[in-house]
Amino acid sequence: PMAARAWGHPSSEDVDDDSEGAISQQVLALEQRQCAELLEIQFGPPVAHVYNPLQYAARPHQCFVHKYGNGTKRVLFLGMNPGPFGMAQNGVPFGDAEAARGWLGITGAVERPASEHPKRPVVGLALERREVSGSRFWGLMEELCSSPQAFFLSCYVHNYCPLCFIAESGRNVTPPTLARADRAALERVCDGCLEQLVRLLRVEWVVGVGKYAEGRARRALRANQDTSVCSIMHPSPINPQANRGWAGQAKAQLAALGLLEVIQPKNTSKHLQS
């Protein structure tokens, strides 16, 4: 695989403009640079297809970023990478289609990936199959905050890696299961991008959704004294513990971390239903 180039530090003009539109535009630009770097890597087996939802699902993805990535954030929930029935379908992190269309109010037509596996077609926001991780994640945030505007006042949701990897069989290939050299190249790029995003959004807490995301955040932010890193259990049904009341367990974890009062805005949710 081609070695990924090291990320440079953003200049002061990249991070000091606090206007909301400027920040969401910078998030999108940073992601585009990240994708360009990642797509230079020649991913070998077990990867047979690489899906880039920031390209073919650009419309709903940009809708999400412009609606909700529009300012500094105290808490960043960090996922690993798109799943084939979530963000790979619609460009929304933890992209259960029903939650994306409904609670989050995301719209936008979706095209097709450049190289699509016949067993993993992209349908977009019209997908009827529920994405369990996303359904659980956004369901909890709806329970805690009542409106997405209330949740995103202090929080943002982002994936460490924006690409989805599919094996020849149609199986989902996660970053930890890539070939060693591919994984190292990917992590060099994504660590740099995460470090820049955290500084751009002035994040105080990065909450890894699962241990892989937490581990990469600790590595990427090891020189950052202003941001704490922690994790909550991943909601994936592959995790047996998550199938025993994930929402209650995740809520207890957030409470133990002292983050419930940060996530739940006081006396604002009733006024943020627009």
Side-chain angles (χ1 to χ4, degrees):
M2 294 177 63
R5 293 193 298 273
W7 280 72
H9 293 293
S11 60
S12 58
E13 59 265 25
D14 286 334
V15 296
D16 288 346
D17 188 342
D18 222 2
S19 66
E20 292 186 349
I23 287 182
S24 62
Q25 280 298 135
Q26 289 173 68
V27 170
L28 290 168
L30 193 152
E31 290 178 332
Q32 288 302 317
R33 295 197 302 272
Q34 180 183 18
C35 285
E37 295 272 0
L38 288 172
L39 292 171
E40 290 184 0
I41 302 168
Q42 301 297 312
F43 292 99
V47 175
H49 299 261
V50 178
Y51 285 25
N52 178 11
L54 272 59
Q55 181 181 48
Y56 62 79
R59 291 181 186 91
H61 177 72
Q62 290 171 14
C63 177
F64 175 83
V65 175
H66 284 310
K67 277 174 83 83
Y68 301 126
N70 50 4
T72 57
K73 306 290 181 178
R74 299 186 69 190
V75 181
L76 177 68
F77 285 93
L78 185 69
M80 179 166 53
N81 76 311
F85 303 106
M87 185 173 173
Q89 292 289 329
N90 53 48
V92 176
F94 294 95
D96 174 65
E98 187 171 311
R101 290 190 311 263
W103 195 58
L104 293 172
I106 301 301
T107 60
V110 170
E111 298 168 7
R112 306 296 283 269
S115 171
E116 188 176 66
H117 193 293
K119 292 183 180 178
R120 293 291 177 262
V122 168
V123 178
L125 287 164
L127 184 74
E128 294 184 3
R129 173 173 173 157
R130 298 303 302 267
E131 206 283 321
V132 177
S133 293
S135 177
R136 289 172 173 173
F137 180 84
W138 292 117
L140 175 60
M141 300 315 158
E142 182 174 7
E143 175 192 328
L144 293 177
C145 295
S146 75
S147 79
Q149 289 79 10
F151 171 71
F152 285 104
L153 271 179
S154 58
C155 300
Y156 192 58
V157 184
H158 179 78
N159 270 327
Y160 172 74
C161 172
L163 304 181
C164 176
F165 305 101
I166 307 293
E168 197 62 59
S169 65
R171 174 177 60 86
N172 183 40
V173 179
T174 60
T177 62
L178 292 170
R180 183 180 298 180
D182 291 351
R183 174 177 173 173
L186 176 144
E187 289 176 346
R188 279 194 295 273
V189 174
C190 295
D191 282 2
C193 181
L194 176 61
E195 192 268 340
Q196 290 191 44
L197 183 75
V198 163
R199 285 200 286 143
L200 173 63
L201 299 182
R202 299 176 185 168
V203 171
E204 297 173 40
W205 293 275
V206 174
V207 182
V209 183
K211 289 296 183 184
Y212 176 80
E214 178 193 19
R216 293 322 305 173
R218 289 193 184 281
R219 176 72 181 172
L221 304 174
R222 62 194 182 281
N224 183 331
Q225 302 300 313
D226 302 317
T227 305
S228 300
V229 178
C230 54
S231 70
I232 59 173
M233 182 194 307
H234 199 287
S236 171
I238 296 172
N239 175 9
Q241 196 174 348
N243 297 326
R244 296 191 287 271
W246 176 82
Q249 295 178 81
K251 193 172 176 178
Q253 289 176 314
L254 290 168
L257 292 164
L259 290 179
L260 276 187
E261 55 265 39
V262 180
I263 295 166
Q264 293 179 294
K266 294 178 176 61
N267 304 317
T268 54
S269 59
K270 293 178 182 177
H271 308 292
L272 289 165
Q273 299 294 339
S274 62

